[in-house]
């Protein structure tokens, strides 16, 4: 039961991350559809910062033991 | 009996409902039947991974393939949305790169959690390191705007991760 709850909670976490990415894509598409260059540039900067943060976290995990 | 969240019918109807509600609120998600099918496929992949977590078998790599599938479906849906939009080529290029970088960041954040938990093999870590190096030239701040490269790198990431989980 606990394992099932943990799995469901993990599933919800993944779906939440996915829905955030889909929401971001929708907002970026909306800016492009409106020809809003400033907004598009803003989304690009945000996505690159997000990548830089994820990259830094990935590199920081270097000491983690391998499976 | 399978759990409620493993029902494909449920997800199809939830997505149809979301599309209908967003349409009613004036937001066009650009979700045609094909895009909806792609999203359902992505969600089912996630649900299948969640189900695998409750089995007794070890799951060697769980989230990266799910994230990779999402990257694929988000890019596919956004390409369709961008094709018909009125924005300039530069705006479309910027948006393509933004969506690719955000999608890859989602996948990498998931992979990072698995790495911290010690659930990735040295080979898998090495592979993702290579993907990161390729992505740096596209997604690190101040990189040139190259939508073709952005799409190619993400597609390559999907293909590579599929190889890992074979």
């Amino acid at each position: 039961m606990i394992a099932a709850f943990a799995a469901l909670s993990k599933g919800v976490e993944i779906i939440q991350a996915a829905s955030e990415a889909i929401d971001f894509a929708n907002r970026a598409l909306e800016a492009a559809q409106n020809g809003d260059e400033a907004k598009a540039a803003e989304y690009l900067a945000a996505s690159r910062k997000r990548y830089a943060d994820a990259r830094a976290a990935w590199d920081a995990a270097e000491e983690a033991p391998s499976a | 009996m399978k759990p409620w969240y493993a029902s494909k019918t449920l997800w199809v109807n939830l997505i149809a409902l979301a599309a209908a509600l967003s349409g009613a609120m004036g937001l066009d998600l650009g979700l045609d039947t094909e895009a909806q099918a792609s999203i359902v496929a992505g969600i089912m992949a996630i649900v299948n991974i969640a189900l695998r977590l409750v089995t007794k078998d070890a799951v060697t790599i769980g989230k990266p393939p799910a994230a990779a599938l999402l990257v694929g479906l988000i890019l596919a849906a956004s390409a369709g949305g961008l094709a018909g939009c009125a924005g300039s080529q530069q705006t479309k290029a910027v948006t393509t790169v933004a969506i690719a970088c955000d999608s890859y960041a989602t996948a990498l954040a998931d992979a990072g959690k698995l790495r911290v938990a010690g659930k990735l093999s040295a080979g898998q870590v090495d592979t993702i390191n290579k993907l990161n190096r390729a992505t740096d030239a596209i997604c690190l701040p101040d990189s040139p705007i190259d939508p073709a490269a952005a799409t190619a790198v993400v597609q390559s990431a999907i293909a590579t991760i599929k190889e890992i989980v074979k």
Side-chain angles (χ1 to χ4, degrees):
Chain A
M1 187 69 185
I2 291 170
F5 181 76
L8 187 57
S9 149
K10 288 263 181 206
V12 167
E13 194 182 307
I14 295 170
I15 289 170
Q16 195 172 8
S19 75
E20 279 169 18
I22 290 169
D23 182 51
F24 178 90
N26 263 324
R27 283 184 282 120
L29 278 174
E30 202 178 347
Q33 280 162 356
N34 293 333
D36 190 337
E37 285 183 30
K39 213 55 174 164
E42 219 174 87
Y43 285 128
L44 176 65
S47 72
R48 283 180 159 173
K49 185 186 179 308
R50 190 150 178 251
Y51 171 71
D53 290 346
R55 182 82 160 85
W58 170 265
D59 290 341
E62 198 174 347
E63 297 307 313
S66 297
Chain B
M1 189 178 149
K2 66 183 178 185
W4 63 269
Y5 49 85
S7 164
K8 198 180 287 183
T9 308
L10 174 88
W11 288 108
V12 169
N13 284 306
L14 277 178
I15 289 167
L17 177 66
L21 286 176
S22 61
M25 289 186 290
L27 177 64
D28 180 11
L29 292 175
L31 293 178
D32 55 17
T33 311
E34 203 175 320
Q36 287 186 28
S38 298
I39 292 171
V40 171
I43 289 175
M44 288 316 296
I46 293 166
V47 169
N48 285 334
I49 286 164
L51 288 173
R52 283 190 64 187
L53 291 172
V54 298
T55 69
K56 287 176 183 170
D57 298 330
V59 176
T60 53
I61 182 166
K63 288 182 183 176
L69 280 167
L70 287 167
V71 167
L73 73 90
I74 289 169
L75 280 184
S78 64
L82 278 170
C85 92
S88 68
Q89 285 303 319
Q90 176 65 9
T91 309
K92 288 181 190 178
V94 165
T95 303
T96 301
V97 176
I99 292 172
C101 293
D102 189 76
S103 301
Y104 189 77
T106 301
L108 185 59
D110 277 344
K113 285 178 197 164
L114 285 183
R115 189 181 187 189
V116 169
K119 290 183 177 174
L120 295 183
S121 71
Q124 288 167 334
V125 168
D126 198 39
T127 300
I128 294 172
N129 277 332
K130 284 179 190 161
L131 294 175
N132 286 345
R133 283 195 288 276
T135 309
D136 282 351
I138 296 158
C139 293
L140 281 181
D142 300 324
S143 304
I145 308 293
D146 188 342
T151 306
V153 165
V154 169
Q155 281 173 344
S156 161
I158 293 168
T160 307
I161 291 172
K162 274 183 182 170
E163 281 299 312
I164 290 173
V165 297
K166 255 186 182 175

